[in-house]
Amino acid sequence: MLTIFWLAIVVVGFFALAYINAAGWAWTLAIAAALAAAALLHLLPPLALLVFGAALLLLAIPLNWPTLRRKLISDALLNGFRKVMPPMSQTEREAIEAGTVWWDGDLFSGRPDWAKLLAVPQPKLTAAEQYFLDHDCEEVCAMVTEWETMHVHRDLPPQVWQFIKDRGFLGMIIPKEYGGLGFSAFAHSEVVAKLASRCGALVVTVMVPNSLGPGELLVHYGTDEQKRYFLPRLAKGLEIPCFALTSPMAGSDAAAMPDRGIVCMGEFEGRQTLGLRVTWDKRYITLGPVATLLGLAFRALDPDHLLGDKVDLGITCAMIPTRHPGVNIGRRHMPLTAVFQNGPNSGDDVFIPMQWIIGGQPMIGRGWRMLMECLAAGRAISLPSTNTGMAKLLTRAVGGYARVRSQFKTPIGKFEGIEEPLARMGGYLYSMDATRVLTAGAVDLGEKPAVLSAIAKYHITERGRQIANDAMDIAGGKGICMGPSNFIAAAYTQVPISITVEGANILTRSLIIFGQGAIRCHPYVLKEIAAANDGDATRASITFDAALFAHVRFVLSNMARAFVMGLCGSHCAQVPAGVAPETRRYYQQLTRFSSALAFLSDVSMGVLGGALKRKEKLSARLGDILSMLYVCSATLKRYEAEGRQAADAPLMHWAVWDAMYKAQNAFEGVISNFPNRIVAFVLRRMVFPLGRPYMVPSDQAGHEVARLLIEPSATRDRLTAGIYLPHGESDAIGAIELALAATLAAEAVEAKVRAAIKAGTLVTQAGEDRPAAALAAAIITADELALVRRAAHLAEIVVRVDDFEQDLGAAASRSEIAMPRPATITHKAAA
Ligand SMILES: Cc1cc2nc3c(=O)[nH]c(=O)nc-3n(C[C@H](O)[C@H](O)[C@H](O)COP(=O)(O)OP(=O)(O)OC[C@H]3O[C@@H](n4cnc5c(N)ncnc54)[C@H](O)[C@@H]3O)c2cc1C
C-alpha cells in the first residue's frame, strides 16, 4: 500500500515538475528525495535502489554540468542532427528568416501571456486619416457602381482613375516627405475595406500600388536618388506601377522563375554602361496593361564575372519604364468577372542600366529577401481588408434582405434553415474583422508578421468565400440573375481571385502556416538549426546544447500541461486579470490548446523529422490549430477593446466556440492520421485524456446571432462599421437599408390589423386589401397605412431582378472592334 502511495507521489511529482518546467537541479533534488524516501521506508529492494541511485548520478551530471554534458551527449546529437536535417535552399531560408515573430510565438510557447495581448493598444486613426475615409473615400465610392465598371467601362471610368490619382489613393503607404499620404497600416486597411464594399475594380486598382511592388520596395530599399525621383511620381499617380513575379512555369514556386538578367555592358543614353540584358515572360500581372513602371523580378547571372566570382547572383528586382524599347505590355487577361487591369508582359534581351535595380547594384541578388519581408506586411493588409469589407457588405445586405423578403407569410430570416447560414455569416465576420484589425495593428507596432499574415490571408479569404456562398444561398434567384440590382454576384464570382493570389490558399495552409510557423515561432528549433549550420565548432556546441536541453524540458512541460489541463477541464490554467467574466473559461481552454499544440508539434517534428514537410495534410492541420488560436485571440481582444458590449456577446461566443471546435477537429485529424500508431495512442491520452469536450456552437447561439443581423441595431452597425452605404432606393443596397426600416415599422401596424381580425373587430374577405379595410374601420391611421404601403413598395424594389433584351445586347456588340480577341486565336489566324 505504502509503495503504491510512494509511486503515486512520484508520478504526481513528475507531472508537477514538468508542468512548471523545473530546472535541472530541482529534478535532481526531487529524484534524490524520492529515492531516499524509498530507502528509508524500505519500499524498494536494495538492488533496485542501487540501480536507481546510479542512474540518478548519471542523470545529475548532464542535468547540471553543461560542459560535460556537451562532450558526452550534445555534440554527438549535434552531429546526428546535421545528418538528418532536411536540406534548405537559400530561398527557403530567406523565407523563414523574413519577418518577425509576435503573438504567434506566444501561441507556440504553450504559455500565452494573455495580459500582453490585452495590453496591445487598439489601432486608431489620425484626424487626417478619418477625414480621408469620411470624404475622399465616400466621394470615390459614390462615383462608381460595380455594374458599370464590369459591363460599361470594363475598367474604372476615366474620371475615377483621375480622382484616385489626384487624391493620393495610389500613394497611401508612401511617406509624406515624398508626397504620399503616409498612412498607418490600420488606416490603409480601413480604406481598402471601405472601397471593397463598393467595387472590385476600384479596390484592386487602389490596393496594388499600395501593396508589394515598386512603391513599397523603393520605400524600404531604394537608393536616395530612386526615392527622390520615383516616390513623388508614384504618390501623385504620374507613374502607374505593377509588379511582375509570376511566370507561366513558376507560379506558387516563384523562386524557380526562368526569367534571366545577364550582367553585361550595353548602350544606354548614348554611353557604354554596366547593366543587365533581361529576358522575361510574365503573366497575371495586375495593372500591367496600363502600367508605366514595371517592377520586375528575375534571376541575375554574371557569367563574365563583371561583378565578382559568383555566376548566379540570385533573384533581383528592377524597375523598368514600360515605354523602354523591347518591353511588351498592354494585353489583358479576363480574371473571372473582374475588370481590374491584369495581363501578361515580356521582353527579350532588353538592356537595362544598373541604376534601375531597386537599391542599385549592391541589392543585386537580394530580391527574394526583399519580397519576403515586404510580403509579410502587405499580406497582412490587402486581402484580409478586401475580404472583410466585402463580407461586411454582404452580411449587412443579406441580413436586411432576409427580413424584407417573405415566403410562407414569414420573413425568410426567421426560418431555422436560414438562421444557420446567417449565424455563420455573423460569427465569421466578427472574427474576420477582429483578425484584420489585430494583424494590421501589429504592422503599425513595427512587426512584419510573416506567419500571422499568412494566417490572416488564408482564414479571412476562406471565411469571405463562405460568406459569399451563404449570401448567394440565402438570396436565391436574386443573387443569381446578374444586373445592377444584384449586390452579390460580383463578390461571389470574384472571391476565388483572393484565394489564389499572394500565396494560393492550399499552398499557404499546407506548407506555409505551420511549415514556417513551427520553425519561426518555436522557441528552440531555429536556434538548433542555426547551431547546426554554424561553422564555429565551439559556439555551435554551446548554442546547440543550451537549446536542446531547454527544448527537452519544454516538451516535457507542454506534455504535462496539456495532460493536466485536459484532466481538470483547464480549470487550473491562469486567467488574465480583469477580463470579462463570460470569457474567463475561453482563456483557460485556449491555454490548454496552446500547450497541446506545442507538445503535438514537437512530437511531430521529432518523430517525422524532414518527412513532416511532405506530410502536408498533417502540417495543414497543425497550422489550423495555430490559426484557430490566433482567430480566438483576436476575437477575445476585440470583445475587450470594444468595451464588452453585452449585445455583441452572441457574436463573440459563436465565433470562439466555432474556432475551438475546429481546433479540436484539427487535433483529432493529426492524431488519427499519425503514422506511428503507438505514438498516436500516447498523443491521444495526453491531449484528450477525458475525450473531446468541444461542440459546434449551439442552435440557440446561432439563433441569437441570426436575430442580430435581421434588424437594425448598434450591434449590426458595429459589425459592419466602415463600409460605404449608398443612400436612396435607386441603389440596391440603399433600397435594402430603407426597406428594412420600413418593414419593421410596417410589422407593428400589420400586427395591429391581425389582432383586430382575431378579436373580430375587423372582418375581411379573402383577397381583400386588409390595411385599407383597417383604415376604413379606424383600426389604423392614414399614417400607419402609408407605412405599410411604403414597406410594400420598397420590398418590391428589393426583390426585383433585372431583365434585358432577348439577345442580351449581343447584336449591338457583335463587331470586330467590340469583341476581345484572345492571343491564341490571333496566332492561329495568322498561321
Ligand atoms: C487575378 C490575378 C492577379 C494576379 N496578380 C499578380 C501580380 O500582380 N503579380 C504577380 O507577380 N503575380 C500575380 N498573380 C499570380 C498569383 O500570385 C499566382 O496565380 C499564384 O502565385 C499561384 O500560381 P499559379 O496560378 O500558377 O498556380 P500554381 O502554382 O500552378 O498552383 C496550382 C495549385 O497548386 C497548389 N500548390 C502549389 N504548390 C503546392 C504545394 N507545395 N503544396 C500544396 N499545394 C500546392 C496551389 O495552392 C494551387 O491551388 C495574379 C494572379 C491572378 C489570378
Side-chain angles (χ1 to χ4, degrees):
M1 189 62 199
L2 206 55
T3 311
I4 292 173
F5 186 62
W6 177 84
L7 261 177
I9 289 182
V10 166
V11 171
V12 170
F14 169 84
F15 276 97
L17 286 171
Y19 191 100
I20 61 167
N21 200 358
W25 62 263
W27 282 99
T28 315
L29 283 182
I31 300 170
L35 287 181
L40 281 175
L41 301 170
H42 307 290
L43 300 177
L44 293 175
L47 186 62
L49 273 175
L50 206 67
V51 171
F52 284 135
L56 170 65
L57 263 180
L58 281 179
L59 208 66
I61 294 170
L63 280 176
N64 301 295
W65 196 348
T67 321
L68 194 60
R69 179 173 75 197
R70 274 172 30 220
K71 288 202 168 40
L72 293 179
I73 307 173
S74 313
D75 287 352
L77 289 175
L78 175 59
N79 285 335
F81 183 60
R82 282 190 175 122
K83 284 184 195 132
V84 300
M85 199 171 69
M88 206 185 274
S89 68
Q90 175 75 9
T91 45
E92 271 179 297
R93 180 165 304 129
E94 286 179 348
I96 281 177
E97 286 168 4
T100 57
V101 174
W102 187 57
W103 181 243
D104 36 345
D106 273 69
L107 293 177
F108 239 105
S109 72
R111 293 168 187 262
D113 180 356
W114 296 106
K116 182 174 103 185
L117 178 78
L118 295 170
V120 170
Q122 197 66 358
K124 292 220 163 31
L125 298 171
T126 63
E129 291 165 345
Q130 187 67 59
Y131 184 92
F132 189 83
L133 277 158
D134 295 343
H135 295 85
D136 303 61
C137 293
E138 286 281 316
E139 236 177 287
V140 77
C141 286
M143 289 168 76
V144 286
T145 69
E146 193 75 79
W147 181 255
E148 269 181 31
T149 59
M150 278 164 68
H151 297 277
V152 179
H153 302 280
R154 294 180 192 169
D155 188 3
L156 286 181
Q159 66 277 17
V160 176
W161 265 105
Q162 199 53 49
F163 186 90
I164 58 174
K165 289 177 186 175
D166 293 345
R167 298 293 178 99
F169 279 86
L170 305 186
M172 282 190 286
I173 58 162
I174 295 177
K176 286 185 184 149
E177 56 180 305
Y178 295 108
L181 294 178
F183 277 179
S184 64
F186 178 59
H188 174 190
S189 165
E190 292 281 292
V191 171
V192 170
K194 181 165 217 155
L195 304 188
S197 69
R198 182 59 173 169
C199 172
L202 176 64
V203 69
V204 174
T205 306
V206 168
M207 190 177 87
V208 166
N210 288 294
S211 183
L212 184 59
E216 191 175 14
L217 293 172
L218 282 171
V219 168
H220 293 292
Y221 310 101
T223 62
D224 285 346
E225 199 185 337
Q226 289 173 339
K227 287 184 188 173
R228 272 197 307 274
Y229 180 75
F230 283 109
L231 290 179
R233 293 179 62 75
L234 286 165
K236 290 189 176 58
L238 299 175
E239 302 281 0
I240 301 293
C242 68
F243 190 73
L245 176 67
T246 307
S247 309
M249 291 304 156
S252 301
D253 187 11
M257 66 184 80
D259 314 291
R260 294 284 182 265
I262 310 290
V263 180
C264 63
M265 296 299 288
E267 196 176 307
F268 182 68
E269 293 176 345
R271 275 200 313 238
Q272 277 298 301
T273 311
L274 183 63
L276 299 111
R277 235 177 30 246
V278 190
T279 299
W280 75 96
D281 181 13
K282 302 287 192 182
R283 65 176 178 182
Y284 304 143
I285 309 308
T286 302
L287 295 190
V290 293
T292 58
L293 191 61
L294 165 67
L296 186 70
F298 57 87
R299 186 168 284 280
L301 301 172
D302 185 16
D304 299 330
H305 301 291
L306 297 180
L307 300 181
D309 294 341
K310 267 173 87 177
V311 173
D312 184 352
L313 304 178
I315 291 171
T316 300
C317 298
M319 289 168 305
I320 307 179
T322 54
R323 62 177 187 283
H324 189 59
V327 177
N328 304 315
I329 198 161
R331 288 190 68 81
R332 281 176 78 174
H333 299 308
M334 293 175 79
L336 297 168
T337 59
V339 290
F340 58 82
Q341 296 282 342
N342 181 278
N345 64 74
S346 62
D348 198 2
D349 268 347
V350 177
F351 181 77
I352 63 165
M354 231 10 129
Q355 72 254 32
W356 286 1
I357 302 291
I358 297 179
Q361 189 175 319
M363 295 307 272
I364 284 198
R366 306 278 299 275
W368 195 250
R369 180 173 285 266
M370 286 158 61
L371 295 178
M372 289 301 108
E373 284 182 359
C374 288
L375 183 66
R379 191 169 52 190
I381 297 167
S382 303
L383 295 165
S385 314
T386 310
N387 278 264
T388 307
M390 174 273 284
K392 281 184 177 184
L393 177 90
L394 290 183
T395 305
R396 187 172 180 106
V398 165
Y401 180 84
R403 185 61 175 266
V404 173
R405 171 71 169 166
S406 280
Q407 290 293 287
F408 306 100
K409 297 193 181 126
T410 309
I412 59 168
K414 291 190 175 175
F415 293 125
E416 282 210 359
I418 296 286
E419 271 188 356
E420 199 169 78
L422 274 179
R424 191 161 46 225
M425 292 175 84
Y428 274 7
L429 179 54
Y430 189 81
S431 61
M432 283 164 79
D433 206 17
T435 306
R436 171 189 74 92
V437 172
L438 183 62
T439 318
V443 175
D444 280 332
L445 293 175
E447 301 291 339
K448 290 183 175 170
V451 176
L452 296 182
S453 66
I455 292 176
K457 192 270 164 172
Y458 178 87
H459 289 278
I460 294 182
T461 57
E462 287 295 340
R463 283 162 185 237
R465 165 150 73 180
Q466 183 62 53
I467 285 181
N469 274 333
D470 285 335
M472 182 60 90
D473 292 353
I474 292 172
K478 169 81 185 170
I480 287 167
C481 292
M482 305 272 283
S485 54
N486 186 328
F487 57 94
I488 301 173
Y492 179 83
T493 49
Q494 292 168 27
V495 82
I497 298 173
S498 299
I499 303 292
T500 299
V501 302
E502 291 202 358
N505 273 10
I506 297 179
L507 167 95
T508 301
R509 174 169 178 256
S510 315
L511 208 64
I512 296 178
I513 295 178
F514 183 77
Q516 204 167 339
I519 297 180
R520 196 72 181 80
C521 307
H522 194 288
Y524 304 110
V525 166
L526 203 56
K527 289 183 190 149
E528 286 157 358
I529 293 176
N533 288 318
D534 194 341
D536 182 327
T538 314
R539 193 173 55 208
S541 164
I542 294 171
T543 334
F544 186 78
D545 171 79
L548 180 71
F549 277 84
H551 192 162
V552 170
R553 278 173 36 212
F554 178 76
V555 176
L556 282 178
S557 171
N558 281 314
M559 179 195 73
R561 286 169 59 81
F563 180 70
V564 172
M565 285 190 268
L567 273 186
C568 70
S570 340
H571 281 281
C572 56
Q574 271 193 343
V575 181
V579 294
E582 62 273 27
T583 60
R584 287 174 57 83
R585 294 285 293 130
Y586 295 149
Y587 291 99
Q588 293 182 315
Q589 283 151 343
L590 294 171
T591 299
R592 168 189 174 186
F593 271 1
S594 169
S595 292
L597 169 66
F599 173 58
L600 189 56
S601 303
D602 269 313
V603 173
S604 303
M605 287 190 279
V607 173
L608 300 170
L612 184 56
K613 198 170 154 185
R614 291 185 299 279
K615 290 263 169 213
E616 288 192 348
K617 291 177 201 159
L618 292 187
S619 173
R621 293 183 187 114
L622 288 163
D624 288 345
I625 303 169
L626 177 65
S627 303
M628 289 307 110
L629 288 177
Y630 184 57
V631 168
C632 286
S633 306
T635 305
L636 293 172
K637 166 104 180 116
R638 172 182 182 168
Y639 187 67
E640 288 292 335
E642 289 183 349
R644 308 172 183 179
Q645 300 291 334
D648 302 2
L651 294 161
M652 178 274 295
H653 287 303
W654 195 100
V656 174
W657 268 105
D658 174 72
M660 288 201 311
Y661 180 71
K662 287 192 165 89
Q664 173 178 275
N665 283 353
F667 271 115
E668 182 55 35
V670 177
I671 296 170
S672 324
N673 292 286
F674 207 81
N676 184 319
R677 298 313 302 153
I678 297 169
V679 176
F681 177 84
V682 176
L683 283 173
R684 192 182 300 285
R685 296 298 166 279
M686 290 296 150
V687 174
F688 294 122
L690 300 179
R692 281 166 280 150
Y694 303 103
M695 293 168 301
V696 286
S698 67
D699 288 351
Q700 179 57 27
H703 169 74
E704 287 168 24
V705 172
R707 277 297 156 109
L708 290 171
L709 302 191
I710 62 169
E711 53 194 39
S713 67
T715 295
R716 183 167 172 265
D717 290 342
R718 269 192 295 275
L719 186 66
T720 58
I723 57 173
Y724 175 69
L725 276 181
H727 300 291
E729 57 190 67
S730 60
D731 183 285
I733 301 293
I736 291 179
E737 289 290 306
L738 292 172
L740 177 60
T743 301
L744 285 166
E747 276 177 7
V749 181
E750 281 156 1
K752 234 170 158 182
V753 176
R754 274 199 306 277
I757 294 172
K758 202 169 169 195
T761 48
L762 176 67
V763 180
T764 56
Q765 305 302 315
E768 192 183 343
D769 182 348
R770 286 174 168 187
L775 177 68
I779 287 163
I780 61 171
T781 65
D783 284 350
E784 286 175 324
L785 178 65
L787 283 178
V788 174
R789 296 285 190 251
R790 173 136 179 86
H793 163 72
L794 288 167
E796 190 276 323
I797 294 177
V798 165
V799 301
R800 196 184 288 164
V801 301
D802 302 288
D803 48 49
F804 301 88
E805 58 268 42
Q806 189 267 329
D807 70 348
L808 294 177
S813 66
R814 204 179 293 130
S815 77
E816 271 299 296
I817 301 155
M819 265 238 301
R821 305 262 303 159
T824 39
I825 294 178
T826 317
H827 293 328
K828 266 188 213 151

